[in-house]
């Protein structure tokens, strides 16, 4: 993989072998007002990998994800999903937004939210059939939420809400999953449930990218990292890229040296 | 014919072809307003529809002036509707543009657009008053709505447009639901969020302009928003909520139009809004799902269950009970005597509660990821949430833990 990767001038990656990689980003820049939140970031996510996007608060991790999916407008840069424009590869991608981005008092039951993941395949006019409900229930079972199908979503705990969001993405049956902070503020049971589902996805050959904030679990959950602090700091396999040096560069003075020591890095 | 007699006969469409048609038109207007308003409410953009409705006024005035200039009498409803639609669309796009291109928030943009357009409209109405043909224009009826002297063709137009708008809501229900709940996710699944938002506001615009004659531009926002707010009390499902909002809106329009027709001095718009408010009040108080009364009762029942459980656990631990409510509840249930001593029945219930508590404690240690643990409210007996096999396993573990403890006690 890395042998095919040539680092050209101004940090652009020309990745010839991975032309159809799940995600190839060149020079992505996104700004709010006139201040770039993400500046000229390159990334290349190989198929079947599990990548953590890591960086301090306000480093543009979520913005990077949204920029690749066109949720926020791009100022410049190119994004290819499986070698195509996102618009042409949409049905191969599933996005799990941050749990806090929606109003959970919305009139919906758990099953209704999961069925939203099937809107694309059901179409505008057709009604739900038993087949769709069974599909949604399967996804709920995978995240351990089948007993909650008829609950109002406002009655769920934060971890349960996160699992419902994951179930909705599973319903899309995509090849490439992008998750925004799936482990933020969830209980231990939820974290175990989500990790096991993500590992299943990887075992099935699918690709997973997570915005992640807990440095202590990176090596356990993921096999690749993308370190971002507005700019791309480093990208690659965990054992060679998730190093004390790179973390120091990513976090600057905001990460105490003692904290890095506790991670027992190479 | 007295007011009540007339009202009842009109309610059943027996008061003449004309007023029946007006009532049906108002009903269909309410139906489309309620269903379209449901999405506007869920998208939290109720005030945008207020800006849209106030922005119709200059269009009404200009359309009148133009039609008079071309020699017609200026009151032709389709012409006025077209004018109002154009000016409110301009108002809507201005709100959009200000929010997107400047750092102003939407509420500021709404305030600016609403007041400027409405002010301009009032100036135009005043000018029209001084025109020779303006005296009998009756344009001020567009402010609060009036069905008096409404033409059959007008009522038919309103009825058809209302039905079409409601059908449009039904067609767009899935993308609109998705955008209202989770716009970012919607965008990744291929929904054009901006277009859906525009369609949503376009629906509000259509409802507003066809509702000008009946409800009036000042109060149409109430017909868009009150029905969904009332409907929210009855259901937790968006599909049902839209249906209920449509029914409440439709009934409000229908009953309100009949009421105001029965007494010509009653303005139609305010009456329709008051009827809608009646539905809101009933919903807010009496809905078994989210209504105030049911919530209060549920809370009280829950409080009593908590006190009963606490009291029984105190009895099991042989602790004194001080809480007055706890004592009253236990005494009324025959668990304790007047002097506070547990009855035979109370002792059995207390033991059962303590046993259940111990089983749950063990269950939490043994099966931390089981969904029953997540769903446990702290009061429900374990038999109702776990299988007999699971409970047998829990009991085995409790027993072996007790044995281990006993052995430890024997050795020391």
């Amino acid at each position: 993989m890395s042998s095919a990767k040539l680092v050209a001038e101004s940090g652009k990656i020309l990745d010839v072998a991975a032309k159809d990689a799940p995600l190839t980003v060149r020079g992505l820049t996104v700004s709010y007002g006139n201040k770039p939140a993400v500046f000229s970031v390159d990334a290349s996510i190989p198929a079947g990998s599990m990548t953590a996007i890591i960086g301090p608060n306000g480093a543009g991790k979520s913005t990077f994800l949204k920029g690749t999916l066109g949720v926020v407008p791009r100022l410049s840069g190119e994004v290819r999903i499986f070698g195509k424009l996102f618009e042409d590869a949409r049905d191969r991608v599933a996005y799990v937004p941050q749990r806090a981005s929606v109003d959970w008092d919305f009139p919906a039951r758990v099953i209704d939210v999961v069925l939203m993941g099937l809107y694309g395949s059901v179409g505008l006019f057709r009604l739900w059939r038993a087949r769709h409900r069974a599909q949604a229930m399967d996804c709920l079972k995978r995240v351990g939420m089948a007993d909650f199908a008829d609950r109002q979503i406002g009655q769920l705990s934060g971890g349960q809400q996160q699992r419902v969001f994951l179930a909705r993405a599973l319903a899309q049956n995509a090849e490439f999953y992008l998750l925004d902070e799936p482990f933020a503020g969830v209980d231990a049971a939820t974290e175990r449930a989500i990790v096991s589902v993500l590992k299943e996805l990887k075992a099935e050959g699918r690709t997973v990218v997570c915005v992640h904030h807990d440095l202590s679990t990176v090596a356990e959950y993921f096999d690749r990292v993308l370190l971002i602090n507005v700019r791309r700091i480093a990208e690659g396999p965990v054992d060679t890229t998730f190093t004390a040096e790179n973390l120091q560069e990513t976090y600057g003075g905001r990460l105490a040296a003692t904290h890095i020591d506790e991670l027992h890095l190479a | 014919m007295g007011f009540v007699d007339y009202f009842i006969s009109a309610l059943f469409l027996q008061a003449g072809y004309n007023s029946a048609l007006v009532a049906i038109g108002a009903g269909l207007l309410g139906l489309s307003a309620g269903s379209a308003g449901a999405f506007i409410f869920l998208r939290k953009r109720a005030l945008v529809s207020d800006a849209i409705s106030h922005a119709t006024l200059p269009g009404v005035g200009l359309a009148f002036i133009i039609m008079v200039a071309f020699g017609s009498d200026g009151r032709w409803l389709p012409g006025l509707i077209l004018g109002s639609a154009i000016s409110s669309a301009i108002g809507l796009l201005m709100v959009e543009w200000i929010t997107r291109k400047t750092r102003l928030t939407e509420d500021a943009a709404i305030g600016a657009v609403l007041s400027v357009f409405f002010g301009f409209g009032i100036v135009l109405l005043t000018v029209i008053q001084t025109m020779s043909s303006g005296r009998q224009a009756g344009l001020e009826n567009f402010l609060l709505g009036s069905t008096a002297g409404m033409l059959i063709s007008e009522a038919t137009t309103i009825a058809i447009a209302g039905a079409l708008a409601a059908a449009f809501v039904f067609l767009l229900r899935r993308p609109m639901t998705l955008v209202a709940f989770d716009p970012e996710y919607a965008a990744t699944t291929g929904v054009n969020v901006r277009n859906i938002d525009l369609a949503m506001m376009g629906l509000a615009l259509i409802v507003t302009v066809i509702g000008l004659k009946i409800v009036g531009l000042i109060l149409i926002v109430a017909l868009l928003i009150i029905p969904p707010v009332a409907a929210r009390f009855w259901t937790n499902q968006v599909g049902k909520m839209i249906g209920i909002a449509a029914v409440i809106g439709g009934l409000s329009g229908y009953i309100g139009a009949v009421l105001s027709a029965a007494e010509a001095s009653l303005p139609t718009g305010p009456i329709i809004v008051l009827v809608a408010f009646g539905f809101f009040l009933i919903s807010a108080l009496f809905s078994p799902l989210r209504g105030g009364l049911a919530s209060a009762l549920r809370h009280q029942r829950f409080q009593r269950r908590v006190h009963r459980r606490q009291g029984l656990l105190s009895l099991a631990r042989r602790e004194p009970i001080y809480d007055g409510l706890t004592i009253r509840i236990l005494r009324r249930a025959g668990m304790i005597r007047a002097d506070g001593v547990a009855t035979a029945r109370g002792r059995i219930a207390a033991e059962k509660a303590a046993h259940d508590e111990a089983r749950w404690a063990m269950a939490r240690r043994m099966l931390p990821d089981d969904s029953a643990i997540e769903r446990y409210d702290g009061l429900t007996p374990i038999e109702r949430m776990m299988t007999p096999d699971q409970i047998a396993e829990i009991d085995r573990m409790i027993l072996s833990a007790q044995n281990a403890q006993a052995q430890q006690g024997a050795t020391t």
Side-chain angles (χ1 to χ4, degrees):
Chain A
M1 194 71 239
S2 57
S3 62
K5 193 180 289 175
L6 306 161
V7 179
E9 81 255 59
S10 72
K12 298 259 186 285
I13 296 175
L14 304 173
D15 199 337
V16 186
K19 215 170 64 195
D20 294 336
L23 180 64
T24 315
V25 179
R26 291 205 190 100
L28 177 68
T29 302
V30 179
S31 82
Y32 299 118
N34 284 329
K35 189 171 180 295
V38 169
F39 183 78
S40 194
V41 168
D42 297 333
S44 177
I45 306 286
S49 63
M50 245 173 113
T51 305
I53 302 178
I54 292 164
N57 289 333
K61 306 185 292 288
S62 298
T63 307
F64 171 78
L65 217 56
K66 290 178 189 172
T68 61
L69 298 176
V71 174
V72 295
R74 297 196 276 270
L75 205 63
S76 75
E78 248 184 277
V79 176
R80 289 288 179 278
I81 309 255
F82 296 108
K84 297 179 186 150
L85 289 174
F86 176 58
E87 290 70 31
D88 302 322
R90 226 192 272 290
D91 47 357
R92 299 168 75 181
V93 177
Y95 169 58
V96 180
Q98 277 183 24
R99 172 164 59 82
S101 64
V102 306
D103 171 13
W104 289 91
D105 195 40
F106 195 84
R109 297 164 306 167
V110 165
I111 187 89
D112 300 324
V113 174
V114 181
L115 284 169
M116 286 178 191
L118 293 170
Y119 278 7
S121 58
V122 173
L124 213 55
F125 303 102
R126 277 185 294 164
L127 298 171
W128 299 121
R129 297 189 182 285
R131 175 167 55 91
H132 302 125
R133 281 179 200 289
Q135 225 172 317
M137 282 306 290
D138 278 344
C139 299
L140 279 175
K141 251 178 231 140
R142 286 181 74 179
V143 299
M145 289 288 291
D147 290 336
F148 293 83
D150 289 324
R151 278 258 181 121
Q152 208 273 321
I153 53 172
Q155 295 169 353
L156 302 177
S157 74
Q160 293 166 344
Q161 291 171 348
Q162 190 67 59
R163 279 186 272 164
V164 172
F165 261 12
L166 180 57
R168 178 177 68 176
L170 292 176
Q172 288 175 269
N173 194 21
E175 294 161 58
F176 181 25
Y177 285 81
L178 299 110
L179 299 88
D180 198 347
E181 299 256 14
F183 304 113
V186 303
D187 51 288
T190 296
E191 183 149 343
R192 278 195 296 275
I194 294 177
V195 168
S196 85
V197 169
L198 295 184
K199 296 215 157 153
E200 275 169 41
L201 291 173
K202 181 183 152 65
E204 293 162 6
R206 302 175 208 250
T207 312
V208 177
V209 171
C210 282
V211 171
H212 193 58
H213 65 287
D214 183 3
L215 294 179
S216 66
T217 52
V218 169
E220 188 188 335
Y221 296 168
F222 299 95
D223 52 26
R224 288 174 59 87
V225 290
L226 169 60
L227 298 171
I228 291 184
N229 190 348
V230 184
R231 287 163 168 76
R232 188 191 74 143
I233 308 296
E235 183 196 8
V238 167
D239 16 316
T240 56
T241 316
F242 191 61
T243 60
E245 199 186 339
N246 282 339
L247 281 178
Q248 199 65 61
E249 196 184 337
T250 310
Y251 285 83
R254 276 181 276 186
L255 197 65
T258 53
H259 191 113
I260 294 181
D261 288 344
E262 283 165 18
L263 295 171
H264 306 296
L265 299 170
Chain B
M1 197 157 47
F3 174 80
V4 175
D5 293 339
Y6 181 87
F7 173 66
I8 288 169
S9 66
L11 204 55
F12 296 101
L13 303 175
Q14 303 298 310
Y17 183 64
N18 209 341
S19 55
L21 212 54
V22 169
I24 290 172
L28 285 170
L29 169 72
L31 189 86
S32 63
S35 53
F39 287 106
I40 293 161
F41 163 66
L42 290 175
R43 188 83 171 106
K44 302 187 184 358
R45 299 186 77 193
L47 283 176
V48 180
S49 54
D50 208 18
I52 290 173
S53 59
H54 281 77
T56 55
L57 194 56
V60 171
L62 285 173
F64 180 86
I65 291 170
I66 290 170
M67 285 192 285
V68 168
F70 279 94
S72 94
D73 85 335
R75 284 180 297 178
W76 188 53
L77 189 62
L80 296 175
I81 284 182
L82 186 68
S84 65
I86 291 171
S87 80
S88 70
I90 294 172
L92 170 63
L93 292 175
M94 278 178 73
V95 170
E96 269 259 305
W97 184 85
I98 292 172
T99 314
R100 231 160 13 93
K101 293 289 174 191
T102 72
R103 309 196 69 165
L104 292 173
T105 52
E106 192 171 73
D107 57 334
I110 289 167
V113 169
L114 183 151
S115 45
V116 169
F117 274 70
F118 191 65
F120 182 44
I122 292 291
V123 170
L124 285 176
L125 284 199
T126 319
V127 171
I128 289 167
Q129 287 289 319
T130 63
M131 289 163 56
S132 54
S133 61
R135 293 247 172 251
Q136 327 83 350
L139 288 189
E140 65 283 352
N141 279 341
F142 284 107
L143 294 178
L144 292 173
S146 164
T147 52
M150 199 160 147
L151 302 173
I152 287 179
S153 66
E154 294 175 340
T156 319
T157 307
I158 290 166
I160 292 171
L164 283 178
F168 195 49
V169 173
F170 181 75
L171 278 184
L172 286 179
R173 70 198 186 284
R174 274 187 195 141
M176 288 202 297
T177 302
L178 203 48
V179 168
F181 176 59
D182 193 348
E184 289 184 352
Y185 174 81
T188 67
T189 61
V191 172
N192 188 325
V193 175
R194 195 159 165 248
N195 286 354
I196 292 296
D197 270 336
L198 279 176
M200 223 184 264
M201 290 305 133
L203 279 167
L205 193 152
I206 291 168
V207 168
T208 302
V209 297
I210 62 177
L212 279 180
K213 185 88 181 173
I214 295 180
V215 180
L217 64 93
I218 293 178
L219 291 176
I220 190 74
V221 65
L223 198 57
L224 281 163
I225 299 309
I226 295 176
V229 172
R232 185 69 186 90
F233 285 103
W234 297 95
T235 177
N236 279 326
Q237 283 168 257
V238 70
K240 286 184 185 165
M241 186 189 135
I242 291 149
I244 296 170
V247 169
I248 290 177
L251 284 176
S252 306
Y254 184 79
I255 295 171
V258 169
L259 269 177
S260 81
E263 177 60 63
S265 59
L266 291 177
T268 315
I271 295 293
I272 289 176
V273 170
L274 285 178
V275 173
F277 178 70
F279 282 113
F280 166 80
L281 217 54
I282 292 168
S283 308
L285 289 177
F286 300 115
S287 157
L289 188 70
R290 287 165 71 103
L293 222 57
S295 306
L297 274 175
R298 257 200 306 275
H299 181 74
Q300 199 195 25
R301 269 220 332 259
F302 181 70
Q303 190 184 22
R304 286 170 176 276
R305 280 177 66 205
V306 169
H307 276 271
R308 184 190 158 103
R309 178 78 162 198
Q310 278 177 329
L312 288 175
L313 290 176
S314 297
L315 283 185
R317 288 194 294 263
R318 305 209 180 342
E319 289 167 2
I321 301 167
Y322 299 110
D323 190 294
L325 180 61
T326 311
I327 293 172
R328 272 205 307 284
I329 288 168
L330 288 182
R331 203 183 310 160
R332 222 173 293 156
M335 302 290 182
I336 53 173
R337 299 194 315 232
D339 58 3
V341 177
T343 61
R345 201 167 148 216
R347 277 196 301 277
I348 294 169
E351 215 161 285
K352 222 176 141 218
H355 186 46
D356 188 59
E357 198 78 2
R359 278 170 160 180
W360 274 115
M362 181 55 79
R364 270 193 292 275
R365 273 172 48 196
M366 286 167 58
L367 312 157
D369 291 352
D370 194 276
S371 79
I373 302 289
E374 286 190 68
R375 282 177 295 143
Y376 181 48
D377 60 357
L379 297 170
T380 307
I382 200 164
E383 294 91 349
R384 267 194 246 156
M385 298 184 71
M386 287 199 170
T387 63
D389 288 350
Q390 281 177 312
I391 294 171
E393 181 64 29
I394 289 165
D395 284 347
R396 258 199 302 284
M397 292 299 289
I398 292 176
L399 211 62
S400 70
Q402 279 169 349
N403 284 341
Q405 220 170 25
Q407 264 171 19
Q408 215 172 31
T411 50
T412 50

